[in-house]
Amino acid sequence: MKTLLMTFCLMLTLTGVQAQIKNKNAQYTIEVNGNCETCKKRIEKAALSVSGVKSASWDMNTHELTLIINEEKTTLFAVKKAIAAVGHDSEEVKAEDSVYENLHSCCKYERQ
């Protein structure tokens, strides 16, 4: 019984340690609103400005931003905040109205 209890405790400890390990090459795909090549450049530049973002590629047709990030250095939420700061909405973080209004007319997408 003592051996079984010690084995169970060891398993719980190892599971907890494993859950805290951050991925250095975590890949995410998120939806980001935009319309044109200018939007693409702005979105990718904003994402890459966040320390820990290794790759950012926005597809104009699908509005999907594919990211590779180091989770030891940043979070997906931090990337979304940086993108919103330049005027582009994601599902979780919306750009301020004043920032959105300052986008070029071709970059103004339909907001929800």
Side-chain angles (χ1 to χ4, degrees), residues 58-91:
W58 185 73
D59 186 291
M60 194 171 23
N61 296 319
T62 63
H63 293 188
E64 289 184 343
L65 175 65
T66 303
L67 298 162
I68 298 176
I69 67 171
N70 180 341
E71 292 179 322
E72 292 179 350
K73 295 183 178 182
T74 193
T75 64
L76 187 57
F77 188 75
V79 178
K80 290 178 180 180
K81 282 176 41 178
I83 293 167
V86 298
H88 295 275
D89 297 342
S90 64
E91 291 177 14

Side-chain angles (χ1 to χ4, degrees), residues 28-33 67 75-85 88-96 109 111-112:
Y28 294 97
T29 301
I30 60 172
E31 185 175 340
V32 177
N33 292 321
L67 298 162
T75 64
L76 187 57
F77 188 75
V79 178
K80 290 178 180 180
K81 282 176 41 178
I83 293 167
H88 295 275
D89 297 342
S90 64
E91 291 177 14
E92 191 175 7
V93 183
K94 305 296 181 200
E96 289 186 23
Y109 48 89
R111 295 186 91 182
Q112 308 224 353

Side-chain angles (χ1 to χ4, degrees), residues 46-61:
L48 290 167
S49 73
V50 178
S51 179
V53 175
K54 295 181 175 186
S55 171
S57 178
W58 185 73
D59 186 291
M60 194 171 23
N61 296 319

